[in-house]
């Protein structure tokens, strides 16, 4: 494996309350993954896309794929 291909990994531990642990378990199911680390990675990627898609007022429009209902989310509130 070349230096460019070398995967950087850093272990971090954080204290989580019961509500956050329940949310992580729900997100594992929703994202179709089996670890909290995978949830964090997907959530960070989603946050990255949302920030880059936001308008000047930090708003993003999200459309529900099931019922096509749209909702505008403000990222700074």
């Amino acid at each position: 494996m070349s230096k460019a291909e070398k995967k950087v990994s850093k272990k971090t531990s954080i204290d989580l309350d019961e509500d956050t642990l329940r949310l992580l378990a729900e997100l594992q199911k929703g994202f179709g993954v089996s670890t909290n680390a995978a949830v964090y990675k997907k959530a960070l990627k989603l946050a990255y896309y949302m920030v880059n898609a936001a308008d000047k007022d930090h708003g993003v429009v999200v459309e529900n794929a099931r019922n096509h209902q749209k909702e505008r989310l403000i990222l700074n509130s």
Side-chain angles (χ1 to χ4, degrees):
M1 185 179 286
S2 72
K3 288 185 181 183
E5 296 172 341
K6 194 172 188 179
K7 189 173 182 180
V8 176
S9 180
K10 182 177 179 179
K11 302 266 182 190
T12 303
S13 85
I14 54 175
D15 293 326
L16 303 172
D17 60 22
E18 289 299 316
D19 289 336
T20 304
L21 291 171
R22 277 192 290 277
L23 180 57
L24 281 168
E26 285 182 41
L27 289 172
Q28 282 182 17
K29 292 176 190 172
F31 282 139
V33 297
S34 60
T35 66
N36 289 345
V39 170
Y40 299 143
K41 289 175 188 174
K42 287 186 178 278
L44 286 169
K45 189 175 242 181
L46 178 59
Y48 175 81
Y49 288 127
M50 298 277 288
V51 165
N52 284 315
D55 60 24
K56 66 178 181 168
D57 295 327
H58 306 287
V60 177
V61 176
V62 178
E63 181 177 347
N64 185 318
R66 292 183 199 117
N67 64 15
H68 302 289
Q69 183 176 2
K70 294 180 182 178
E71 186 169 346
R72 186 168 188 263
L73 305 174
I74 306 299
L75 301 177
N76 63 348
S77 61

